[in-house]
Structure formats: C-alpha cells, structure tokens
Coordinates of all heavy atoms in Angstrom, one line a residue:
M86 N 247.7 3.7 -152.6 CA 249.1 3.2 -152.5 C 249.1 2.4 -151.2 O 248.7 2.8 -150.2 CB 250.1 4.3 -152.5 CG 251.5 3.9 -152.2 SD 252.8 5.2 -152.4 CE 252.3 6.3 -151.1
A87 N 249.7 1.2 -151.4 CA 249.8 0.3 -150.2 C 251.0 0.8 -149.4 O 252.0 1.3 -149.8 CB 250.0 -1.1 -150.7
T88 N 250.8 0.7 -148.0 CA 251.8 1.0 -147.1 C 253.1 0.2 -147.3 O 252.9 -1.1 -147.5 CB 251.3 0.9 -145.7 OG1 250.1 1.7 -145.5 CG2 252.3 1.4 -144.7
G89 N 254.2 0.8 -147.3 CA 255.4 0.1 -147.4 C 256.0 -0.2 -148.8 O 257.0 -0.7 -149.0
E90 N 255.1 0.1 -149.8 CA 255.4 -0.1 -151.2 C 255.8 1.2 -151.9 O 255.3 2.2 -151.5 CB 254.3 -0.8 -151.9 CG 253.9 -2.2 -151.4 CD 252.8 -2.8 -152.3 OE1 252.6 -2.4 -153.4 OE2 252.2 -3.7 -151.7
P91 N 256.7 1.1 -152.8 CA 257.1 2.4 -153.5 C 256.0 2.9 -154.4 O 255.2 2.1 -154.9 CB 258.3 1.9 -154.4 CG 258.2 0.5 -154.5 CD 257.4 0.0 -153.3
W92 N 255.9 4.2 -154.4 CA 254.8 4.8 -155.3 C 255.2 4.7 -156.6 O 256.4 5.0 -157.0 CB 254.6 6.3 -154.8 CG 253.5 6.9 -155.5 CD1 252.2 6.5 -155.5 CD2 253.6 8.1 -156.3 NE1 251.5 7.4 -156.3 CE2 252.3 8.4 -156.8 CE3 254.6 9.0 -156.6 CZ2 252.0 9.5 -157.5 CZ3 254.3 10.1 -157.4 CH2 253.0 10.3 -157.8
T93 N 254.4 4.3 -157.5 CA 254.7 4.1 -158.9 C 254.3 5.3 -159.8 O 254.6 5.3 -161.0 CB 253.9 2.9 -159.5 OG1 252.5 3.1 -159.4 CG2 254.3 1.6 -158.8
G94 N 253.6 6.3 -159.2 CA 253.3 7.5 -160.0 C 252.0 7.3 -160.8 O 251.7 8.1 -161.7
N95 N 251.3 6.2 -160.6 CA 250.1 5.9 -161.3 C 248.9 6.6 -160.8 O 247.9 6.0 -160.3 CB 249.8 4.4 -161.4 CG 250.9 3.7 -162.2 OD1 251.5 4.3 -163.1 ND2 251.2 2.5 -161.9
D96 N 248.9 8.0 -160.8 CA 247.8 8.8 -160.4 C 247.6 9.8 -161.6 O 248.4 10.6 -161.9 CB 248.3 9.6 -159.2 CG 247.2 10.6 -158.7 OD1 247.2 11.6 -159.3 OD2 246.5 10.3 -157.8
R97 N 246.4 9.6 -162.2 CA 246.1 10.4 -163.4 C 246.3 11.9 -163.2 O 246.9 12.6 -164.0 CB 244.8 10.0 -164.0 CG 244.5 10.8 -165.3 CD 243.2 10.2 -166.0 NE 243.1 10.8 -167.2 CZ 243.5 10.4 -168.4 NH1 244.1 9.2 -168.4 NH2 243.3 11.0 -169.5
G98 N 245.7 12.4 -162.1 CA 245.8 13.8 -161.9 C 247.3 14.4 -161.7 O 247.7 15.4 -162.3
H99 N 248.0 13.6 -161.0 CA 249.5 13.9 -160.8 C 250.2 13.9 -162.2 O 251.0 14.7 -162.5 CB 250.1 13.0 -159.8 CG 251.6 13.2 -159.7 ND1 252.1 14.3 -158.9 CD2 252.6 12.5 -160.2 CE1 253.4 14.2 -159.0 NE2 253.8 13.2 -159.7
N100 N 249.9 12.8 -162.9 CA 250.6 12.6 -164.2 C 250.2 13.7 -165.2 O 251.1 14.2 -165.9 CB 250.2 11.2 -164.8 CG 250.8 10.1 -164.0 OD1 251.7 10.3 -163.1 ND2 250.4 8.9 -164.3
D101 N 249.0 14.1 -165.2 CA 248.5 15.2 -166.1 C 249.2 16.5 -165.7 O 249.6 17.3 -166.6 CB 247.0 15.4 -166.0 CG 246.2 14.3 -166.7 OD1 246.8 13.4 -167.5 OD2 245.0 14.2 -166.5
Q102 N 249.4 16.7 -164.4 CA 250.1 18.0 -164.0 C 251.6 17.9 -164.4 O 252.1 18.9 -164.9 CB 250.0 18.2 -162.5 CG 248.6 18.5 -162.0 CD 248.4 18.4 -160.5 OE1 249.4 18.2 -159.8 NE2 247.3 18.6 -160.0
C103 N 252.2 16.8 -164.3 CA 253.6 16.6 -164.7 C 253.7 16.9 -166.2 O 254.6 17.6 -166.6 CB 254.1 15.2 -164.4 SG 254.4 15.0 -162.6
H104 N 252.8 16.3 -166.9 CA 252.9 16.4 -168.4 C 252.7 17.9 -168.8 O 253.5 18.3 -169.7 CB 251.7 15.6 -169.0 CG 251.8 15.4 -170.5 ND1 252.7 14.5 -171.1 CD2 251.1 15.9 -171.5 CE1 252.6 14.5 -172.4 NE2 251.7 15.4 -172.7
A105 N 251.9 18.6 -168.2 CA 251.7 20.0 -168.5 C 253.0 20.8 -168.1 O 253.4 21.7 -168.9 CB 250.5 20.6 -167.7
R106 N 253.5 20.6 -167.0 CA 254.7 21.3 -166.5 C 255.9 20.9 -167.4 O 256.6 21.8 -167.8 CB 255.1 21.0 -165.1 CG 254.2 21.6 -164.0 CD 254.9 21.5 -162.6 NE 255.5 20.2 -162.3 CZ 254.9 19.2 -161.8 NH1 253.6 19.3 -161.5 NH2 255.5 18.1 -161.5
W107 N 256.1 19.6 -167.6 CA 257.3 19.2 -168.4 C 257.2 19.5 -169.8 O 258.2 19.8 -170.5 CB 257.5 17.7 -168.2 CG 257.8 17.3 -166.8 CD1 258.1 18.2 -165.7 CD2 257.9 16.0 -166.3 NE1 258.3 17.4 -164.6 CE2 258.1 16.1 -164.9 CE3 257.6 14.7 -166.8 CZ2 258.3 15.0 -164.0 CZ3 257.8 13.6 -166.0 CH2 258.1 13.8 -164.6
G108 N 256.0 19.6 -170.4 CA 255.7 20.0 -171.8 C 256.2 21.4 -172.1 O 256.6 21.7 -173.2
A109 N 256.3 22.2 -171.1 CA 256.8 23.6 -171.3 C 258.2 23.7 -171.6 O 258.7 24.7 -172.1 CB 256.5 24.5 -170.0
S110 N 259.0 22.6 -171.3 CA 260.4 22.6 -171.6 C 260.8 21.8 -172.8 O 262.0 21.4 -172.9 CB 261.2 22.1 -170.3 OG 260.9 20.7 -170.1
L111 N 259.9 21.5 -173.7 CA 260.3 20.8 -174.9 C 261.3 21.5 -175.8 O 261.3 22.7 -175.9 CB 259.1 20.5 -175.8 CG 258.0 19.6 -175.2 CD1 256.9 19.5 -176.2 CD2 258.6 18.2 -175.0
N112 N 262.2 20.7 -176.2 CA 263.3 21.3 -177.2 C 262.7 21.4 -178.5 O 262.9 22.4 -179.3 CB 264.5 20.4 -177.2 CG 265.6 20.9 -178.0 OD1 265.9 22.1 -177.9 ND2 266.2 20.1 -178.8
R113 N 261.9 20.4 -178.9 CA 261.3 20.3 -180.2 C 259.8 19.9 -180.1 O 259.6 18.8 -179.5 CB 262.0 19.3 -181.2 CG 263.4 19.6 -181.4 CD 264.1 18.6 -182.2 NE 265.4 18.8 -182.5 CZ 266.3 18.0 -183.1 NH1 265.9 16.7 -183.2 NH2 267.5 18.3 -183.3
S114 N 258.9 20.6 -180.6 CA 257.5 20.3 -180.6 C 257.0 20.2 -182.0 O 257.2 21.1 -182.8 CB 256.7 21.3 -179.8 OG 255.3 21.0 -180.0
T115 N 256.3 19.1 -182.4 CA 255.8 18.9 -183.7 C 254.8 20.0 -184.0 O 254.5 20.3 -185.2 CB 255.1 17.5 -183.9 OG1 254.1 17.5 -182.9 CG2 256.1 16.4 -183.7
A116 N 254.3 20.7 -183.0 CA 253.3 21.8 -183.2 C 254.0 23.2 -183.5 O 253.3 24.2 -183.8 CB 252.4 22.0 -182.1
Q117 N 255.3 23.2 -183.2 CA 256.0 24.6 -183.3 C 256.3 24.9 -184.8 O 256.6 24.0 -185.6 CB 257.3 24.6 -182.5 CG 258.4 23.9 -183.1 CD 259.6 23.8 -182.2 OE1 259.6 23.2 -181.1 NE2 260.7 24.3 -182.7
P118 N 256.2 26.2 -185.2 CA 256.6 26.6 -186.5 C 258.1 26.3 -186.7 O 258.9 26.4 -185.8 CB 256.4 28.1 -186.5 CG 255.5 28.4 -185.3 CD 255.8 27.3 -184.4
G119 N 258.5 25.8 -187.9 CA 259.9 25.6 -188.2 C 260.3 24.2 -187.8 O 261.4 23.8 -187.9
Y120 N 259.3 23.3 -187.3 CA 259.7 21.9 -187.1 C 260.1 21.3 -188.3 O 259.4 21.3 -189.3 CB 258.5 21.2 -186.4 CG 258.8 19.8 -185.9 CD1 259.3 19.6 -184.7 CD2 258.6 18.7 -186.8 CE1 259.6 18.3 -184.2 CE2 258.8 17.4 -186.4 CZ 259.3 17.2 -185.1 OH 259.6 16.0 -184.6
L121 N 261.3 20.7 -188.3 CA 261.9 20.0 -189.5 C 261.4 18.6 -189.7 O 261.3 17.9 -188.7 CB 263.4 20.1 -189.5 CG 264.0 21.4 -189.4 CD1 265.5 21.4 -189.3 CD2 263.6 22.4 -190.5
D122 N 261.1 18.2 -190.9 CA 260.6 16.9 -191.1 C 261.6 15.8 -190.6 O 261.1 14.8 -190.1 CB 260.4 16.6 -192.7 CG 259.2 17.4 -193.2 OD1 258.3 17.8 -192.4 OD2 259.1 17.6 -194.4
E123 N 262.9 16.0 -190.8 CA 263.8 15.0 -190.4 C 263.8 14.8 -188.9 O 264.3 13.8 -188.3 CB 265.2 15.3 -190.9 CG 265.8 16.6 -190.4 CD 265.7 17.7 -191.5 OE1 264.7 17.7 -192.3 OE2 266.4 18.7 -191.4
W124 N 263.4 15.8 -188.1 CA 263.3 15.6 -186.6 C 262.3 14.6 -186.2 O 262.4 14.0 -185.2 CB 262.9 17.0 -186.0 CG 264.0 18.0 -186.0 CD1 265.3 17.8 -186.4 CD2 263.8 19.4 -185.7 NE1 266.0 19.1 -186.3 CE2 265.1 20.0 -185.9 CE3 262.8 20.1 -185.2 CZ2 265.3 21.4 -185.6 CZ3 263.0 21.4 -185.0 CH2 264.2 22.1 -185.2
Y125 N 261.3 14.3 -187.1 CA 260.3 13.4 -186.7 C 260.9 12.0 -186.6 O 260.4 11.2 -185.7 CB 259.3 13.3 -187.8 CG 258.1 12.4 -187.5 CD1 257.0 12.8 -186.7 CD2 258.0 11.1 -188.0 CE1 256.0 12.0 -186.4 CE2 257.0 10.2 -187.7 CZ 256.0 10.7 -186.9 OH 254.9 9.8 -186.5
Y126 N 261.9 11.7 -187.2 CA 262.6 10.4 -187.2 C 263.7 10.4 -186.1 O 264.5 9.4 -186.1 CB 263.1 9.9 -188.5 CG 261.9 9.8 -189.5 CD1 261.6 10.8 -190.4 CD2 261.0 8.8 -189.4 CE1 260.5 10.7 -191.2 CE2 259.9 8.6 -190.2 CZ 259.7 9.6 -191.1 OH 258.5 9.5 -191.9
A127 N 263.9 11.4 -185.4 CA 265.0 11.5 -184.5 C 264.5 12.0 -183.1 O 264.9 12.9 -182.4 CB 266.1 12.5 -184.9
Q128 N 263.4 11.3 -182.6 CA 262.8 11.6 -181.4 C 263.4 10.8 -180.2 O 263.8 9.7 -180.4 CB 261.3 11.4 -181.4 CG 260.5 12.2 -182.5 CD 259.1 12.0 -182.6 OE1 258.5 11.2 -181.8 NE2 258.4 12.5 -183.6
C129 N 263.4 11.4 -179.1 CA 264.0 10.8 -177.9 C 263.6 9.3 -177.7 O 264.4 8.5 -177.3 CB 263.6 11.6 -176.7 SG 264.3 13.2 -176.5
G130 N 262.3 9.0 -177.9 CA 261.8 7.6 -177.7 C 262.5 6.6 -178.6 O 262.4 5.4 -178.3
G131 N 263.1 7.1 -179.6 CA 263.9 6.1 -180.5 C 265.4 6.2 -180.3 O 266.1 5.5 -181.1
C132 N 265.8 7.0 -179.3 CA 267.3 7.1 -179.1 C 267.8 6.0 -178.2 O 267.1 5.6 -177.3 CB 267.6 8.5 -178.5 SG 269.3 8.8 -178.2
R133 N 268.9 5.5 -178.5 CA 269.5 4.4 -177.7 C 269.8 4.9 -176.2 O 270.0 4.0 -175.4 CB 270.7 3.8 -178.4 CG 271.9 4.8 -178.4 CD 273.1 4.1 -179.0 NE 273.5 3.0 -178.1 CZ 274.7 2.5 -178.2 NH1 275.6 2.8 -179.1 NH2 275.0 1.5 -177.3
F134 N 269.9 6.1 -176.0 CA 270.2 6.7 -174.7 C 269.0 7.1 -173.9 O 269.2 7.7 -172.8 CB 271.2 7.8 -174.9 CG 272.5 7.4 -175.4 CD1 272.9 7.8 -176.7 CD2 273.4 6.7 -174.6 CE1 274.1 7.4 -177.2 CE2 274.7 6.4 -175.2 CZ 275.0 6.7 -176.5
W135 N 267.8 6.9 -174.4 CA 266.6 7.2 -173.7 C 266.1 6.0 -173.0 O 265.9 4.9 -173.6 CB 265.5 7.7 -174.7 CG 264.3 8.3 -174.1 CD1 264.1 9.6 -173.7 CD2 263.1 7.6 -174.0 NE1 262.8 9.7 -173.2 CE2 262.1 8.5 -173.4 CE3 262.6 6.3 -174.2 CZ2 260.8 8.2 -173.1 CZ3 261.3 6.0 -173.9 CH2 260.4 6.9 -173.4
I136 N 265.9 6.2 -171.6 CA 265.4 5.1 -170.8 C 264.0 5.5 -170.2 O 263.9 6.5 -169.4 CB 266.4 4.7 -169.7 CG1 267.7 4.3 -170.3 CG2 265.8 3.6 -168.8 CD1 268.8 4.2 -169.3
A137 N 263.0 4.7 -170.5 CA 261.7 5.0 -170.0 C 261.5 5.0 -168.5 O 262.2 4.2 -167.9 CB 260.6 4.1 -170.7
L138 N 260.7 5.9 -168.0 CA 260.4 5.8 -166.6 C 259.5 4.7 -166.3 O 258.9 4.1 -167.3 CB 259.7 7.2 -166.2 CG 260.5 8.5 -166.3 CD1 259.6 9.6 -165.9 CD2 261.7 8.4 -165.5
S139 N 259.3 4.3 -165.1 CA 258.4 3.2 -164.8 C 257.0 3.9 -164.6 O 256.9 5.1 -164.5 CB 258.9 2.4 -163.6 OG 258.8 3.2 -162.4
G140 N 256.0 3.0 -164.5 CA 254.7 3.5 -164.2 C 254.1 4.1 -165.4 O 254.6 4.1 -166.5
Q141 N 252.9 4.8 -165.2 CA 252.2 5.4 -166.3 C 253.0 6.6 -166.9 O 252.9 6.8 -168.1 CB 250.9 6.0 -165.8 CG 249.9 4.9 -165.4 CD 249.5 4.2 -166.7 OE1 249.1 4.7 -167.7 NE2 249.5 2.8 -166.5
L142 N 253.8 7.3 -166.2 CA 254.6 8.4 -166.7 C 255.6 7.8 -167.7 O 256.0 8.5 -168.7 CB 255.4 9.2 -165.7 CG 254.6 10.2 -164.9 CD1 255.4 10.8 -163.8 CD2 254.1 11.3 -165.9
G143 N 256.0 6.5 -167.6 CA 256.9 5.9 -168.5 C 256.4 5.7 -169.9 O 257.1 5.3 -170.8
L144 N 255.1 5.8 -170.0 CA 254.5 5.6 -171.3 C 254.9 6.8 -172.2 O 254.8 6.7 -173.5 CB 252.9 5.5 -171.2 CG 252.5 4.3 -170.5 CD1 250.9 4.4 -170.3 CD2 252.9 3.1 -171.2
D145 N 255.2 8.0 -171.7 CA 255.5 9.2 -172.4 C 256.9 9.8 -172.1 O 257.4 10.6 -172.9 CB 254.5 10.3 -172.2 CG 253.2 10.0 -172.8 OD1 253.1 9.4 -173.9 OD2 252.1 10.3 -172.1
Y146 N 257.4 9.5 -170.9 CA 258.7 10.1 -170.5 C 259.8 9.2 -170.0 O 259.5 8.0 -169.6 CB 258.4 11.0 -169.3 CG 257.6 12.2 -169.6 CD1 256.2 12.2 -169.6 CD2 258.2 13.4 -170.1 CE1 255.4 13.3 -170.0 CE2 257.5 14.5 -170.5 CZ 256.1 14.5 -170.5 OH 255.3 15.5 -170.9
G147 N 261.0 9.6 -170.3 CA 262.1 8.8 -169.9 C 263.3 9.7 -169.6 O 263.2 11.0 -169.8
A148 N 264.4 9.1 -169.1 CA 265.6 9.9 -168.8 C 266.6 9.8 -170.0 O 266.8 8.7 -170.6 CB 266.3 9.3 -167.6
C149 N 267.2 10.9 -170.2 CA 268.3 10.9 -171.2 C 269.7 10.5 -170.5 O 269.9 11.1 -169.5 CB 268.5 12.3 -171.8 SG 269.9 12.5 -172.9
T150 N 270.4 9.5 -171.1 CA 271.6 9.1 -170.5 C 272.8 9.3 -171.5 O 273.8 8.7 -171.3 CB 271.5 7.6 -170.2 OG1 271.3 6.8 -171.3 CG2 270.3 7.4 -169.2
N151 N 272.6 10.2 -172.4 CA 273.7 10.5 -173.4 C 274.5 11.6 -172.9 O 274.2 12.8 -172.8 CB 273.1 10.9 -174.7 CG 274.1 11.1 -175.8 OD1 275.3 11.1 -175.5 ND2 273.7 11.2 -177.1
R152 N 275.8 11.3 -172.4 CA 276.6 12.3 -171.9 C 277.0 13.4 -172.9 O 277.4 14.5 -172.4 CB 277.9 11.7 -171.3 CG 278.8 11.1 -172.2 CD 280.0 10.5 -171.6 NE 280.9 9.9 -172.5 CZ 282.0 9.3 -172.2 NH1 282.4 9.2 -170.9 NH2 282.8 8.7 -173.1
A153 N 276.9 13.2 -174.2 CA 277.1 14.2 -175.1 C 275.9 15.2 -175.4 O 276.1 16.2 -176.0 CB 277.4 13.5 -176.5
S154 N 274.7 14.9 -174.8 CA 273.6 15.7 -174.9 C 273.5 16.7 -173.8 O 273.8 16.4 -172.7 CB 272.3 14.8 -175.0 OG 271.2 15.6 -174.9
S155 N 272.9 17.8 -174.1 CA 272.7 18.9 -173.1 C 271.6 18.4 -172.2 O 271.3 19.0 -171.1 CB 272.4 20.2 -173.7 OG 271.2 20.1 -174.6
F156 N 270.8 17.4 -172.5 CA 269.7 16.9 -171.7 C 270.1 15.7 -170.9 O 269.3 15.0 -170.2 CB 268.5 16.5 -172.6 CG 268.0 17.7 -173.4 CD1 268.1 17.7 -174.8 CD2 267.4 18.8 -172.7 CE1 267.7 18.8 -175.5 CE2 267.0 19.8 -173.4 CZ 267.1 19.8 -174.8
D157 N 271.4 15.3 -170.8 CA 271.9 14.2 -170.0 C 271.4 14.3 -168.5 O 271.6 15.4 -168.0 CB 273.4 14.1 -170.1 CG 274.0 12.9 -169.3 OD1 273.3 11.9 -169.4 OD2 275.1 13.1 -168.8
G158 N 270.8 13.2 -168.0 CA 270.3 13.3 -166.7 C 269.0 13.9 -166.5 O 268.6 14.1 -165.4
R159 N 268.3 14.3 -167.5 CA 267.0 15.0 -167.4 C 265.9 14.2 -168.0 O 266.1 13.4 -169.0 CB 267.1 16.4 -168.1 CG 268.1 17.3 -167.4 CD 268.4 18.6 -168.1 NE 267.2 19.3 -168.5 CZ 267.2 20.3 -169.3 NH1 268.3 20.8 -169.9 NH2 266.0 20.9 -169.6
V160 N 264.7 14.4 -167.5 CA 263.5 13.7 -167.9 C 263.1 14.4 -169.3 O 263.1 15.6 -169.3 CB 262.4 13.7 -166.9 CG1 261.1 13.2 -167.5 CG2 262.8 12.9 -165.7
R161 N 262.8 13.6 -170.3 CA 262.5 14.1 -171.6 C 261.2 13.4 -172.2 O 261.0 12.2 -171.9 CB 263.6 13.9 -172.6 CG 264.9 14.4 -172.3 CD 265.0 15.9 -171.8 NE 264.5 16.8 -172.8 CZ 264.0 18.0 -172.6 NH1 264.1 18.4 -171.3 NH2 263.5 18.7 -173.6
F162 N 260.4 14.2 -172.8 CA 259.2 13.6 -173.5 C 259.7 12.7 -174.7 O 260.6 13.1 -175.4 CB 258.4 14.8 -174.0 CG 257.1 14.4 -174.7 CD1 256.2 13.4 -174.0 CD2 256.7 15.0 -175.9 CE1 255.0 13.1 -174.7 CE2 255.5 14.6 -176.5 CZ 254.7 13.7 -175.9
E163 N 259.0 11.6 -174.9 CA 259.5 10.7 -175.9 C 259.5 11.2 -177.3 O 260.2 10.8 -178.2 CB 258.7 9.4 -175.9 CG 257.2 9.6 -176.3 CD 256.4 8.3 -176.3 OE1 257.1 7.2 -176.3 OE2 255.2 8.3 -176.3
H164 N 258.6 12.3 -177.5 CA 258.6 12.9 -178.9 C 259.4 14.1 -179.0 O 259.3 14.9 -180.0 CB 257.1 13.1 -179.3 CG 256.3 11.9 -179.3 ND1 256.5 11.0 -180.2 CD2 255.3 11.4 -178.6 CE1 255.7 10.0 -180.1 NE2 254.9 10.2 -179.0
D165 N 260.2 14.4 -178.0 CA 261.2 15.5 -178.1 C 262.4 15.0 -178.8 O 262.4 13.9 -179.3 CB 261.5 16.0 -176.7 CG 262.0 17.5 -176.6 OD1 262.3 18.0 -177.7 OD2 262.2 18.0 -175.5
G166 N 263.5 15.8 -178.9 CA 264.6 15.4 -179.6 C 265.8 16.4 -179.4 O 265.6 17.5 -178.9
C167 N 267.0 16.0 -179.8 CA 268.1 16.9 -179.7 C 269.1 16.5 -180.8 O 269.0 15.5 -181.5 CB 268.8 16.9 -178.4 SG 269.9 15.5 -178.0
V168 N 270.2 17.3 -181.0 CA 271.2 17.1 -182.0 C 272.0 15.9 -181.8 O 272.8 15.5 -182.6 CB 272.0 18.3 -182.3 CG1 271.2 19.5 -182.7 CG2 272.8 18.7 -181.0
R169 N 272.0 15.3 -180.6 CA 272.9 14.2 -180.2 C 272.1 12.9 -180.3 O 272.5 11.9 -179.7 CB 273.4 14.4 -178.7 CG 274.2 15.6 -178.6 CD 275.5 15.5 -179.5 NE 276.3 16.7 -179.2 CZ 277.4 16.9 -179.8 NH1 277.8 16.1 -180.8 NH2 278.2 17.9 -179.6
F170 N 271.0 12.8 -181.0 CA 270.2 11.6 -181.2 C 271.1 10.5 -181.8 O 271.8 10.7 -182.7 CB 269.0 11.9 -182.1 CG 268.2 10.7 -182.5 CD1 267.2 10.2 -181.7 CD2 268.5 10.0 -183.7 CE1 266.5 9.1 -182.0 CE2 267.8 8.9 -184.1 CZ 266.8 8.4 -183.2
V171 N 270.9 9.3 -181.3 CA 271.6 8.1 -181.8 C 270.5 7.0 -181.8 O 270.0 6.6 -180.8 CB 272.8 7.6 -180.9 CG1 273.3 6.4 -181.5 CG2 273.8 8.7 -180.7
G172 N 270.1 6.6 -183.1 CA 269.0 5.7 -183.2 C 269.4 4.3 -182.6 O 270.5 3.9 -182.6
R173 N 268.3 3.6 -182.2 CA 268.5 2.3 -181.7 C 268.7 1.3 -182.9 O 268.1 1.4 -183.9 CB 267.2 1.8 -180.9 CG 267.0 2.6 -179.7 CD 265.7 2.1 -179.1 NE 265.4 3.0 -177.9 CZ 264.2 2.9 -177.2 NH1 263.4 2.0 -177.6 NH2 264.1 3.7 -176.2
E174 N 269.6 0.3 -182.7 CA 270.0 -0.5 -183.7 C 268.8 -1.4 -184.1 O 268.6 -1.7 -185.3 CB 271.1 -1.5 -183.3 CG 272.4 -0.8 -183.2 CD 273.5 -1.7 -182.7 OE1 273.4 -2.9 -182.7 OE2 274.6 -1.2 -182.4
D175 N 267.8 -1.7 -183.2 CA 266.7 -2.5 -183.6 C 265.5 -1.7 -184.1 O 264.5 -2.3 -184.4 CB 266.3 -3.4 -182.4 CG 265.8 -2.6 -181.2 OD1 265.7 -1.3 -181.3 OD2 265.4 -3.2 -180.2
G176 N 265.7 -0.3 -184.1 CA 264.6 0.5 -184.6 C 263.4 0.6 -183.7 O 262.4 1.2 -184.1
S177 N 263.5 0.1 -182.4 CA 262.4 0.3 -181.5 C 262.1 1.7 -181.1 O 263.0 2.6 -181.2 CB 262.6 -0.6 -180.3 OG 263.8 -0.3 -179.6
F178 N 261.0 1.9 -180.5 CA 260.7 3.3 -180.0 C 260.0 3.1 -178.6 O 259.0 2.3 -178.5 CB 259.7 3.9 -181.0 CG 259.4 5.4 -180.6 CD1 260.3 6.4 -181.1 CD2 258.4 5.7 -179.8 CE1 260.0 7.7 -180.9 CE2 258.2 7.1 -179.5 CZ 259.0 8.1 -180.1
G179 N 260.3 4.0 -177.7 CA 259.6 4.1 -176.5 C 260.0 3.1 -175.4 O 260.9 2.3 -175.6

C-alpha cells in the first residue's frame, strides 16, 4: 500500500479471512437444506438496494441499503438474500 493512499482491501489473505468470517452470518446459503428454488432469483447481488464494496471484496460483498430489510446498513454476500428483495429494473447482478 502506498503511503497516503486509502487502503483498497486488495489483500488476498485478508479477503479470505473476511469471507470466512462473514460467510458464517449468511441468511440463505444455497448449500443449506431447505433452500428454496425461488430464492435463487432473489439474491442480494440482484437487489436494487445492494451496493457493491470497492476493491476485491466488492466482487462478492456489498452493503444493504433497504430500510425495510433487517440487513439495512450491513455487509452482505451477493448470493445471500432476504424477504425484502427488490429486483433491479435492468436485471443486472453484482
């Protein structure tokens, strides 16, 4: 990291540790028993209120900005989801 510049989080070891810690708080995991097929199309990364983080962590994680969601203001995995999902009008993801 250059002196005087903001840290972008582009450190693989740090990112892997974050992914492991944050993955423990998933609301919905495609690997969990009882995962519903319709949840696949209502993942955070496709929600209009999900804003990706910058740097490498932003490839998988973003902040929820939906005040109606219990996850408002929290970092969420792009493949997680909640009952307050609102799809993007353009159908984009991530």
Side-chain angles (χ1 to χ4, degrees):
M86 175 173 63
T88 304
E90 294 182 23
W92 184 57
T93 61
N95 293 330
D96 176 282
R97 184 169 184 96
H99 175 78
N100 293 350
D101 288 348
Q102 291 172 4
C103 288
H104 194 75
R106 283 194 319 273
W107 296 350
S110 68
L111 291 178
N112 184 47
R113 299 175 177 166
S114 170
T115 56
Q117 76 187 63
Y120 185 87
L121 302 177
D122 290 340
E123 59 263 26
W124 290 349
Y125 185 80
Y126 300 102
Q128 295 178 11
C129 293
C132 183
R133 67 177 297 195
F134 295 107
W135 187 84
I136 300 172
L138 298 178
S139 65
Q141 290 295 311
L142 281 173
L144 297 176
D145 291 321
Y146 289 92
C149 175
T150 64
N151 185 347
R152 67 180 178 181
S154 172
S155 60
F156 299 114
D157 183 35
R159 294 174 51 195
V160 172
R161 306 306 305 159
F162 182 48
E163 68 177 343
H164 297 293
D165 203 350
C167 79
V168 298
R169 299 299 185 181
F170 173 85
V171 179
R173 296 179 182 171
E174 290 180 14
D175 65 0
S177 63
F178 188 91

